[in-house]
Amino acid sequence: MLIKILIAGDGGQGVQTISDIICQAAFENGFFVNHIPNYGLEQRGGVSLSYITIGDKEITYPKFSMPDILVVLSKQADNRTKQYQKESVKMLNIEDYKKDLEKQSVKPQNYNIFFLGLLAKILVEKKICGEDCVLKLLEKKFGKKENWEEKKNVFELSLNYV
Amino acid sequence: MVNSRQFLTGSEVFVRAAIDSGAGFMFGYPITPASEILSGWINSGKKYLQTEDEIAAGFALCGAVLGGEKAFTATSGPGNILMQDGLSMAEGMRLPFVMVAAQRGGPSSGTVIYSQQEVILSCFGGNGEGMRFVYSPSNLSELYKFTRKAFNDAWHYRFPAIILTDGYLLKTKGVIDFAKIGEIKNISPRALVPKDSVVHWPNIYTFEEELYQEIKLAKDDFEKVAEDIADCESYQTDKADILLVAHGIVGAAAKEAVDELRKKGINAGLFRPITLRPLARKKLDKIAGQESVKKIVVVESSLGQLARIIRDQIAPEICAEFAYMQYPGLGIETEAIVDFVAGLRVVSGEI
């Protein structure tokens, strides 16, 4: 079993934050995980990419030419990842959810949490990690912040999203 | 008990290896992708000096090891160029100068994360013809092991030792199981200039003959230990038709490519030099000299720096054809290697 995930968003959207949580959850469940954050100069406004590989065997090379799952958090990231947008790749693109999220008053700064939930759902189905573990790690990261309840609600919304 | 299985970045693994090696001091100037080594070292609470540039860091390191301090530096790209000044002095004086070179793209500032373009610079960057050890690990576990070995070899044999890495290896967070690495004993440092003593130890000579003798001595010493130091991985090379040659993280991709090529019925194998200097020449000659080997494919993220070393060192009577896959400054994924090799076979009409 080997699953390759590419998460792309604008610098500051929390791409690395949700990547860290996904990776930690898979690691704690005994899987081999490789995470390479491709942050060149995007602190200055570019696209932040995160390459994640999760497997039940040792992973030899951290990058890949085609992901199994592509998560896109912004228009800019959408343009930057055109080469990966193939039929064989499962796409989770903000463009497909934006209207719904606005309707449910999810703030743009929590879009990453929404996609964390969608990813968690896929990984739970594949028995890579449990929802509880992801929520626990999310709480560890944001539990003491003022907007924790808001983030928790977005996470729960995404877990139940159909 | 601390769980031996850990999820760490390459920089974190290096810092741990340096601490476990008994290193007590780091000199350096921050540069991506080596900066997290300096910040990680500072966070560990160990002694450090952030100098005004890499030239100062290099010479400060020379001074520290003369005083018996197990110390090191880390740098990258343009910093690696400046560091050659101190490294050259360390070669001339046979100092245990330990350095991590985190390759980034060039020329000049280039890119900030990855390349394999500092191979020639790291192996042969000094003026004159000094001797040094260069290790090119391909994963976190090797990064740990060969960092420990670099400190030991540098202090045991008194040659500079460089751990050649890149930003992929240092910034990637992956799983490492320390229990699988086993115990490594440290070589103790000693003051090369004992405290309160006066030693006349030149790094400049009046007569050409004096310098000649020194270079010859260093060369002889290096050759005596070269076979013990030289290390490589040989994977599926027995009776292989196509021999891939790749180092570092590209070596990891090439290893996967061998498995994929074999599934397609292509009889490929891999020679992965772990030490780029000295190179495991005897093993290379034995593998590449097999009658079965029709092609040697050198795969690297540079315009042929590894290929230059291989061609220079391989026995001249080996007549397999060379082919080159060169992506200067660009990562090379397994699939790309598989396509390249399969393409070669189609062109030459073998399948």
Side-chain angles (χ1 to χ4, degrees):
Chain A
M1 192 281 298
L2 195 69
I3 178 165
K4 299 166 186 171
I5 306 169
L6 175 59
I7 308 178
D10 294 347
Q13 265 195 310
V15 167
Q16 304 307 333
T17 303
I18 62 169
S19 302
D20 286 345
I21 292 175
I22 287 290
C23 291
Q24 189 65 32
F27 169 73
E28 286 182 10
N29 213 16
F31 284 87
F32 286 95
V33 185
N34 239 320
H35 172 210
I36 175 152
N38 190 1
Y39 46 83
L41 303 170
E42 67 281 345
Q43 294 92 330
R44 297 175 189 170
V47 172
S48 175
L49 297 169
S50 174
Y51 296 82
I52 300 170
T53 314
I54 302 170
D56 51 10
K57 283 191 304 201
E58 208 155 329
I59 299 155
T60 47
Y61 190 68
K63 265 190 116 179
F64 42 78
S65 49
M66 200 49 71
D68 300 308
I69 302 170
L70 172 62
V71 181
V72 172
L73 270 79
S74 74
K75 188 80 203 157
Q76 197 183 201
D78 185 43
N79 287 333
R80 173 75 169 75
T81 55
K82 288 284 184 226
Q83 72 202 86
Y84 302 112
Q85 298 177 15
K86 301 269 160 70
E87 248 176 60
S88 59
V89 177
K90 183 172 176 55
M91 281 278 294
L92 300 172
N93 194 327
I94 184 66
E95 291 303 311
D96 302 328
Y97 300 92
K98 209 167 189 173
K99 278 193 185 143
D100 242 18
L101 293 177
E102 280 168 4
K103 220 187 287 173
Q104 309 226 30
S105 310
V106 174
K107 290 180 187 160
Q109 58 263 43
N110 289 329
Y111 285 175
N112 66 330
I113 307 297
F114 177 76
F115 284 104
L116 173 68
L118 295 187
L119 271 176
K121 220 157 74 168
I122 295 170
L123 298 185
V124 169
E125 272 168 29
K126 292 183 184 291
K127 297 194 168 59
I128 289 172
C129 62
E131 284 170 19
D132 293 356
C133 175
V134 178
L135 181 64
K136 211 173 71 194
L137 290 165
L138 187 65
E139 188 173 2
K140 200 170 158 194
K141 177 93 188 158
F142 293 109
K144 286 182 182 145
K145 300 234 164 108
E146 266 177 31
N147 54 3
W148 164 237
E149 280 303 317
E150 202 179 301
K151 289 200 188 293
K152 195 177 160 192
N153 290 340
V154 174
F155 184 68
E156 273 159 9
L157 169 80
S158 60
L159 285 181
N160 301 314
Y161 192 88
V162 185
Chain B
M1 196 184 103
V2 179
N3 192 346
S4 68
R5 184 178 175 272
Q6 294 193 28
F7 188 41
L8 299 173
T9 65
S11 295
E12 288 167 336
V13 168
F14 173 82
V15 169
R16 171 152 173 186
I19 292 170
D20 292 351
S21 297
F25 216 120
M26 175 176 181
F27 299 89
Y29 182 82
I31 182 167
T32 309
S35 299
E36 284 90 349
I37 290 178
L38 180 58
S39 57
W41 181 259
I42 293 170
N43 290 338
S44 77
K46 297 277 182 190
K47 288 185 282 186
Y48 72 99
L49 181 67
Q50 183 179 328
T51 50
E52 66 268 35
D53 59 26
E54 288 84 352
I55 297 176
F59 287 113
L61 177 51
C62 288
V65 296
L66 279 168
E69 180 80 57
K70 216 182 238 189
F72 69 98
T73 188
T75 192
S76 171
N80 194 358
I81 298 175
L82 300 183
M83 202 60 83
Q84 296 305 319
D85 208 353
L87 257 165
S88 208
M89 184 183 196
E91 288 181 322
M93 297 177 73
R94 301 276 306 267
L95 303 179
F97 184 117
V98 175
M99 173 178 119
V100 191
Q103 298 173 96
R104 58 185 266 167
S108 192
S109 298
T111 54
V112 297
I113 303 287
Y114 173 79
S115 87
Q116 290 192 315
Q117 296 174 299
E118 293 171 46
V119 169
I120 296 293
L121 179 66
S122 299
C123 290
F124 306 102
N127 71 306
E129 290 158 314
M131 306 287 154
R132 55 178 79 171
F133 303 136
V134 181
Y135 310 83
S136 177
S138 73
N139 57 41
L140 293 178
S141 168
E142 281 188 2
L143 174 62
Y144 180 84
K145 274 192 290 193
F146 288 99
T147 299
R148 297 287 306 271
K149 194 168 184 321
F151 276 104
N152 277 345
D153 290 346
W155 282 91
H156 186 65
Y157 300 110
R158 293 265 306 279
F159 285 108
I162 296 175
I163 304 110
L164 185 68
T165 65
D166 58 68
Y168 282 177
L169 186 58
L170 292 178
K171 284 178 178 289
T172 295
K173 200 167 178 182
V175 180
I176 176 167
D177 192 342
F178 289 102
K180 285 189 184 158
I181 292 172
E183 200 196 342
I184 301 167
K185 285 207 171 89
N186 287 335
I187 303 278
S188 301
R190 61 186 177 84
L192 305 176
V193 178
K195 207 177 170 190
D196 302 324
S197 65
V198 177
V199 176
H200 177 63
W201 189 349
N203 73 328
I204 182 167
Y205 303 93
T206 312
F207 300 109
E208 287 152 17
E209 288 75 10
E210 284 178 289
L211 174 67
Y212 173 80
Q213 286 305 329
E214 287 298 321
I215 294 174
K216 214 169 158 316
L217 182 66
K219 179 178 176 279
D220 289 348
D221 283 354
F222 194 80
E223 280 176 357
K224 260 183 240 156
V225 301
E227 217 171 301
D228 287 340
I229 300 286
D231 205 346
C232 67
E233 180 186 14
S234 155
Y235 182 65
Q236 299 275 33
T237 51
D238 192 26
K239 298 195 180 87
D241 292 336
I242 291 192
L243 180 65
L244 298 179
V245 180
H247 75 101
I249 205 150
V250 177
K255 192 172 177 180
E256 271 187 10
V258 165
D259 291 339
E260 293 303 314
L261 286 164
R262 283 185 169 255
K263 278 185 209 158
K264 288 177 188 283
I266 298 174
N267 203 8
L270 168 70
F271 172 78
R272 179 172 68 86
I274 295 174
T275 48
L276 295 176
R277 196 176 178 201
L279 194 75
R281 292 167 72 161
K282 280 193 180 162
K283 280 185 186 148
L284 171 65
D285 288 347
K286 196 172 167 206
I287 294 165
Q290 296 178 102
E291 244 174 71
S292 63
V293 175
K294 302 288 179 299
K295 231 169 216 152
I296 300 169
V297 185
V298 187
V299 186
E300 57 187 314
S301 297
S302 86
L303 282 175
Q305 301 196 17
L306 175 65
R308 274 163 73 180
I309 293 175
I310 298 292
R311 279 194 314 256
D312 176 54
Q313 304 269 314
I314 200 167
E317 62 271 24
I318 290 173
C319 53
E321 261 178 53
F322 271 91
Y324 306 104
M325 182 179 182
Q326 299 171 349
Y327 285 12
L330 203 61
I332 305 181
E333 280 112 23
T334 303
E335 297 87 338
I337 302 174
V338 171
D339 289 349
F340 182 87
V341 174
L344 280 180
R345 302 257 303 190
V346 172
V347 171
S348 62
E350 288 169 42
I351 50 174

